[in-house]
Amino acid sequence: MYNHLYTYFESNGLLFSRNSGFRKHHSTTSNLLEVSHRLLHAKDNGYSSRVVFLDISKAFDKVVHSGLLFKLQQLGASGSFFNLMESYLLGRSQFVQISNAKSDILHTNCGVPQGSVLGPLLFLVYVNDISKNMKFSVSLFADETVLSYFSKYPYNLHSVLSSDLKTLQSWVDSGASVSMHLKPKSLPYLPMFLIIHLSI
């Protein structure tokens, strides 16, 4: 199933082109080279640059099943295949067992099955639209996200960053279960590199 699904997404250009995670012929190196190339190109042309590194805590555990199914439908999943994915994701439960001691059963509506063949690909589907309506250029390696922006006018960078972080928060609120601990307006200045940790 993985091979058919992956081939369908890639051959139809459905996966976000600048996500280098869990994809053939992509790696952390290709992600780094792509971001570095854009930074060097901007510098050569006299542009100011800003780069924001986003770290999402427990990202795989925060994939909301209903949101993932909706995004699969948007990419063309239907009929028996969609029913199969629905059966695979919905109604999951989990518990912890140590020797003979067992925790209560917890029913969950989020998280891709880690250790599964399909899990990483389903995560790519979930973050596939993260760059929608963003002014910063977005590059990803799985859940590691880099935003970069270049401008001839440095004073524009802070307002664009604030706007994009609000856009990102809207994306988070629309499906993911993480919260952002950052108040862009409280930043006294905008450093060239900014690291933001997203956590539950």
Side-chain angles (χ1 to χ4, degrees):
M1 182 188 292
Y2 170 87
N3 288 334
H4 288 295
L5 193 56
Y6 181 81
T7 301
Y8 168 75
F9 288 149
E10 288 286 16
S11 61
N12 289 284
L14 297 176
L15 293 178
F16 180 51
S17 62
R18 291 196 300 274
N19 194 337
S20 299
F22 313 120
R23 298 174 72 183
K24 295 175 184 176
H25 313 299
H26 292 261
S27 67
T28 52
T29 303
S30 55
N31 184 270
L32 179 62
L33 287 173
E34 192 256 334
V35 173
S36 299
H37 172 75
R38 281 190 278 115
L39 277 169
L40 291 172
H41 181 74
K43 185 177 185 299
D44 289 343
N45 287 279
Y47 283 74
S48 294
S49 304
R50 293 298 181 270
V51 180
V52 181
F53 297 87
L54 300 172
D55 173 44
I56 302 177
S57 176
K58 300 180 181 178
F60 277 63
D61 294 332
K62 302 303 169 186
V63 173
V64 179
H65 295 157
S66 58
L68 175 57
L69 289 168
F70 174 73
K71 292 179 183 190
L72 281 168
Q73 281 184 314
Q74 287 184 313
L75 295 179
S78 61
S80 58
F81 172 74
F82 180 78
N83 294 337
L84 180 63
M85 295 308 300
E86 215 174 20
S87 173
Y88 178 67
L89 291 168
L90 300 183
R92 286 186 167 270
S93 57
Q94 60 191 36
F95 65 89
V96 176
Q97 182 171 352
I98 301 175
S99 297
N100 293 326
K102 188 184 295 186
S103 70
D104 293 334
I105 293 175
L106 174 68
H107 298 283
T108 179
N109 63 354
C110 60
V112 292
Q114 295 191 43
S116 67
V117 174
L118 276 179
L121 183 56
L122 293 177
F123 182 79
L124 290 185
V125 169
Y126 195 71
V127 298
N128 202 46
D129 60 348
I130 194 172
S131 66
K132 188 176 180 181
N133 300 321
M134 300 279 276
K135 296 173 185 173
F136 268 58
S137 179
V138 180
S139 300
L140 299 101
F141 187 87
D143 62 318
E144 303 296 328
T145 306
V146 181
L147 310 180
S148 52
Y149 186 69
F150 317 104
S151 177
K152 285 279 190 183
Y153 310 102
Y155 50 82
N156 285 341
L157 293 169
H158 190 237
S159 61
V160 173
L161 172 60
S162 296
S163 174
D164 269 5
L165 289 175
K166 288 176 184 175
T167 299
L168 183 61
Q169 183 66 66
S170 296
W171 179 85
V172 167
D173 292 341
S174 71
S177 300
V178 298
S179 57
M180 292 172 47
H181 300 297
L182 177 79
K183 296 179 181 177
K185 64 182 180 182
S186 69
L187 295 172
Y189 65 95
L190 184 62
M192 182 164 179
F193 296 98
L194 179 64
I195 299 175
I196 301 171
H197 182 69
L198 306 181
S199 62
I200 57 172

